[in-house]
Amino acid sequence: ENLEPAREVIVRYNNVKKAFGINIVLNDLNLDVYKGEKVALIGPSGSGKTTIIRMLMTLEQPSSGTIEIDGEHLWHKEVNGQLKDADEKHLRKVRGKIGMVFQQYNLFPHMSIMRNCTEAPIHVLGLSKDEAKERALQMLQKVGLSDKVDMYPSQLSGGQQQRVAIARSLVMQPKVMLFDEVTAALDPELVGEVLEVIKDIASEGETTMMLITHEMDFARDVADRVLFLDNGLIAEHGTPYDVIENP
Ligand code: ADP
Ligand code: ADP
């Protein structure tokens, strides 16, 4: 008798294919990401990493197959047990379960750091201003920037702005956080502070994360599981030890 609690699947790709015209970019992707798990996606440029997470961000539709988040279909809607194409309203709802941090931090330049972090919780989640501010402050503390709440993005370094972008995303308490090459646009001396912040958040354990990175040391430190993508296929997957140290 197996008494281990079943691990909860947060993200599931089921026979997902993606083609752009005749270019097959992903070939039958099957992947489960579990609650609290950190999955690093590595592999050469053009291997399909970004496409995997863009489909989860609802920015790119799979050519076939299904994607589920937190037990709910992303690109489909269940109507009387049948899968229909999702409408914009459904996509907007499931998008709320996903936090994303990109290369470009995309902060609102005319808003204070605090306000950057409270806009969405107030207007999307319907929190009161005080609740939103409290939650934002907590997250800004996590990324080490609680002393910058009244400053504006242009007054911060790129590394600090990226840390704000991470806090802003966490404030929404997403089911999964997606990080797409978040240090690629930073000056080399600013990369470390951003990776450290992500490692800190990862080490707390609760947040499910999928991370695309070229930083192998970082992938090894942060990930429970590493997927090596090659030409649209998961060529290798396993612990960082299996994939990075002993490929
Ligand atoms: P990676 O993130 O591993 O560099 P991508 O997922 O960005 O790889 O790209 C995989 C392949 O899909 C590449 O051949 C790329 O040219 C192609 N591709 C990605 N996005 C598009 C698009 N919008 N239109 C056409 N081809 C695309
Ligand atoms: P407005 O309606 O012009 O946005 P309010 O009267 O609602 O401003 O807000 C009063 C104060 O609260 C202002 O100092 C404003 O900067 C601040 N504030 C407004 N919205 C937010 C927000 N989303 N997050 C943090 N502070 C805010």
Side-chain angles (χ1 to χ4, degrees):
E1 195 181 5
N2 184 1
L3 292 176
E4 269 192 41
R7 290 205 291 168
E8 189 182 338
V9 174
I10 294 292
V11 176
R12 167 166 285 166
Y13 293 78
N14 200 9
N15 298 119
V16 171
K17 295 195 174 122
K18 179 65 184 174
F20 293 103
I22 59 161
N23 183 12
I24 297 170
V25 170
L26 288 173
N27 211 333
D28 208 22
L29 175 70
N30 288 287
L31 173 65
D32 283 349
V33 178
Y34 295 95
K35 186 170 185 177
E37 198 182 16
K38 330 297 175 200
V39 176
L41 304 174
I42 64 172
S45 181
S47 58
K49 306 181 296 295
T50 305
T51 303
I52 290 176
I53 71 167
R54 280 178 62 83
M55 290 188 300
L56 194 56
M57 293 173 180
T58 70
L59 296 174
E60 211 69 79
Q61 185 164 12
S63 305
S64 65
T66 59
I67 302 175
E68 291 167 54
I69 177 152
D70 195 25
E72 195 168 17
H73 279 282
L74 196 69
W75 283 101
H76 299 89
K77 219 174 139 169
E78 279 187 64
V79 184
N80 303 326
Q82 300 256 13
L83 288 189
K84 310 272 186 200
D85 280 346
D87 51 25
E88 189 49 44
K89 186 172 160 223
H90 177 79
L91 287 175
R92 215 177 308 126
K93 192 181 102 195
V94 290
R95 214 175 276 143
K97 296 173 184 263
I98 298 157
M100 331 171 188
V101 185
F102 303 94
Q103 284 184 25
Q104 294 305 332
Y105 358 105
N106 296 322
L107 300 180
F108 306 118
H110 58 289
M111 290 183 192
S112 69
I113 298 311
M114 175 57 87
R115 192 144 178 195
N116 261 281
C117 295
T118 56
E119 277 298 289
I122 292 171
H123 297 292
V124 179
L125 302 182
L127 297 194
S128 73
K129 207 179 269 188
D130 284 344
E131 288 168 330
K133 282 184 174 174
E134 193 182 318
R135 229 197 244 188
L137 192 58
Q138 256 175 9
M139 294 307 149
L140 286 165
Q141 265 158 3
K142 253 191 224 274
V143 302
L145 293 174
S146 52
D147 57 334
K148 306 282 191 247
V149 290
D150 294 325
M151 297 183 87
Y152 284 80
S154 63
Q155 297 173 291
L156 302 188
S157 73
Q160 290 172 330
Q161 290 185 59
Q162 190 60 296
R163 285 150 62 194
V164 173
I166 293 167
R168 180 177 64 174
S169 203
L170 286 169
V171 164
M172 299 299 281
Q173 301 182 337
K175 292 287 177 185
V176 58
M177 283 281 290
L178 307 176
F179 296 88
D180 187 359
E181 294 278 2
V182 294
T183 58
L186 293 175
D187 291 336
E189 70 271 21
L190 301 177
V191 168
E193 65 183 74
V194 173
L195 297 184
E196 282 308 315
V197 158
I198 298 172
K199 277 194 240 174
D200 283 351
I201 295 163
S203 70
E204 289 175 13
E206 309 142 27
T207 313
T208 308
M209 296 182 174
M210 293 172 70
L211 315 100
I212 298 179
T213 185
H214 284 122
E215 310 269 351
M216 286 306 124
D217 289 344
F218 170 65
R220 193 185 50 214
D221 291 351
V222 82
D224 303 309
R225 186 150 54 118
V226 177
L227 307 184
F228 180 80
L229 267 285
D230 193 18
N231 211 2
L233 290 170
I234 299 176
E236 269 193 81
H237 70 108
T239 64
Y241 179 81
D242 293 335
V243 179
I244 298 173
E245 308 278 353
N246 273 315

